[in-house]
Amino acid sequence: MMALQVAGGAGCGLPPLLARGGRGRRRRALFRPPRAVASGAAPAAAKEEDGKVSLGGSGVAVTKLGIGAWSWGDTTYWNEFQWDDRKLKAAKGAFDASIDCGITFFDTAEVYGAGVSGAINSESLLGRFIKERQQKEQVEVAIATKFAALPWRFGRGSVISALKASLDRLGVSSVELYQLHWPGIWGNEGYLDGLGDAVEQGLVKAVGVSNYSEKRLRDAYERLKKRGIPLASNQVNYSLIYRNPEENGVKAACDELGITLIAYSPIAQGALTGKYTPDNPPKGPRGRIYTPEFLTKLQPLINRIKEIGKNYERTPTQVVLNWLVCQGNVVPIPGAKNAEQAREFAGALGWSLTASEVEELRSMAREIKPVIGFPVEKL
């Protein structure tokens, strides 16, 4: 196994001057000891060891930040509706840069880039990237993938069948985390039983859910608990400007029960990076959410994020990802399309916002909330 150090690779997460070997006050400022995080002790689900955190009570340890692979192969939401060799090489670069920077937790799903929704399946790409990397050196990668609760899928057997198909695409015999992608419309007891079966058959090391409300989360936790299986995680939409998990009881329930909250869209699909302005909104489907009107309201918050980032020699992206880490018991999984993005994400670790900065940003963001068109966590 290769030695891994989060954000330890050359240039990983560093601003350009420091990546080139800058000296003096800027370097000292970057490597000063971490400051205090938000008040309150870290919950049991966020036990740290060697720069990693455990997924709930499962015993499976992952890096404190992961990489989302939703965009890999997708042609319906990302990649301007097309996929080519250039984007394939960029995705491979994102994978390799993540590994180089010590980020070894990757989240995918059977429906990402699959069939009619994309050019090539994201699981297949991730499996290929892992195999190619393993040919150069031994490296441990933690894989999370998901079961799609499609209307025609019934019972526990459908979970095992789908999982085996995912394992084939990934080219592995088991994965670290298998999740129910969203609540099933016909009931979830059979799906949860299928997760338990997957653990007992040795096909997965931990199981979780995604987009689950507090009630569904508690029900899932209790059903698996009866079999002696911990519910490791709940993956939900969570960012500085989309804080439903704080408002609907999901975050508090995760902390109480020792379930890790995995945050998808942690940089609000790019809206919190500072890249977009009212005059330059995102293209494609994101433009319907992050409109010029919304981005106008967002600008004061973005400006403050930039100001705070300057004090730490960090980018806005790194600040908002660190804000999530500071909440405790949260593992953000921003999507990386290329190596540059992956290296930047790694720079969100190894330092901390102060408790006052965490609360200031939350307060400023309180009245700024995008309209998300797929609130399945309410089901």
Side-chain angles (χ1 to χ4, degrees), residues 181-212:
H181 205 151
W182 59 81
I185 60 175
W186 307 120
N188 294 277
E189 291 81 4
Y191 295 151
L192 292 167
D193 292 341
L195 290 184
D197 295 342
V199 173
E200 292 176 354
Q201 293 178 29
L203 300 175
V204 302
K205 297 180 178 66
V207 291
V209 292
S210 181
N211 298 303
Y212 268 46

Side-chain angles (χ1 to χ4, degrees), residues 71-278:
S71 69
W72 296 359
D74 179 76
T75 56
T76 61
Y77 194 86
W78 301 102
N79 301 307
E80 298 179 349
F81 309 108
Q82 58 183 349
W83 186 256
D84 53 31
D85 287 343
R86 179 179 62 83
K87 290 173 182 175
L88 172 62
K89 291 178 181 177
K92 176 62 162 56
F95 174 83
D96 283 330
S98 300
I99 298 294
D100 292 341
C101 291
I103 305 299
T104 59
F105 180 41
F106 295 87
D107 179 85
T108 183
E110 62 174 326
V111 296
Y112 291 168
V116 296
S117 68
I120 184 170
N121 186 275
S122 174
E123 290 177 326
S124 298
L125 287 174
L126 178 57
R128 182 194 306 180
F129 298 161
I130 293 172
K131 182 178 180 180
E132 291 173 353
R133 183 75 180 214
Q134 294 284 18
Q135 291 173 348
K136 298 179 181 179
E137 59 186 330
Q138 188 66 26
V139 56
E140 291 185 358
V141 174
I143 301 172
T145 192
K146 308 182 196 73
F147 166 84
L150 300 170
W152 54 86
R153 284 178 165 173
F154 299 95
R156 63 206 302 168
S158 63
V159 175
I160 297 300
S161 296
L163 172 57
K164 289 181 177 179
S166 288
L167 295 177
D168 285 343
R169 285 187 290 269
L170 287 160
V172 296
S173 59
S174 69
V175 292
E176 278 64 35
L177 179 66
Y178 195 50
Q179 308 152 95
L180 303 182
H181 205 151
W182 59 81
I185 60 175
W186 307 120
N188 294 277
E189 291 81 4
Y191 295 151
L192 292 167
D193 292 341
L195 290 184
D197 295 342
V199 173
E200 292 176 354
Q201 293 178 29
L203 300 175
V204 302
K205 297 180 178 66
V207 291
V209 292
S210 181
N211 298 303
Y212 268 46
S213 65
E214 179 188 358
K215 182 182 184 303
R216 288 191 182 277
L217 182 67
R218 291 183 181 277
D219 290 345
Y221 172 87
E222 291 297 334
R223 192 171 187 88
L224 288 167
K225 183 180 178 181
K226 291 177 180 178
R227 297 176 66 173
I229 298 172
L231 180 62
S233 61
N234 186 16
Q235 183 178 146
V236 294
N237 190 339
Y238 187 26
S239 70
L240 175 60
I241 58 172
Y242 188 82
R243 298 189 310 285
N244 264 22
E246 297 177 2
E247 300 159 2
N248 61 16
V250 165
K251 177 65 166 68
C254 284
D255 293 348
E256 173 194 338
L257 300 174
I259 299 169
T260 299
L261 190 154
I262 299 176
Y264 72 77
S265 296
I267 55 176
Q269 299 182 9
L272 286 171
T273 65
K275 174 181 178 181
Y276 300 111
T277 66

Side-chain angles (χ1 to χ4, degrees), residues 341-365:
Q341 290 178 348
R343 286 191 286 266
E344 182 178 19
F345 296 156
L349 302 178
W351 61 285
S352 293
L353 294 167
T354 65
S356 62
E357 288 166 340
V358 167
E359 292 309 315
E360 178 189 1
L361 292 177
R362 175 182 280 108
S363 178
M364 288 190 68

Side-chain angles (χ1 to χ4, degrees), residues 298-340:
L298 188 63
Q299 286 311 296
L301 176 61
I302 293 295
N303 291 337
R304 182 57 183 142
I305 290 170
K306 290 179 178 178
E307 290 174 357
I308 291 174
K310 287 181 180 179
N311 293 332
Y312 293 93
E313 299 283 358
R314 300 291 170 172
T315 68
T317 297
Q318 292 165 342
V319 170
V320 296
L321 288 174
N322 188 269
W323 184 90
L324 281 172
V325 174
C326 285
Q327 305 313 306
N329 194 34
V330 176
V331 175
I333 51 167
K337 290 184 178 180
N338 54 55
E340 181 181 5

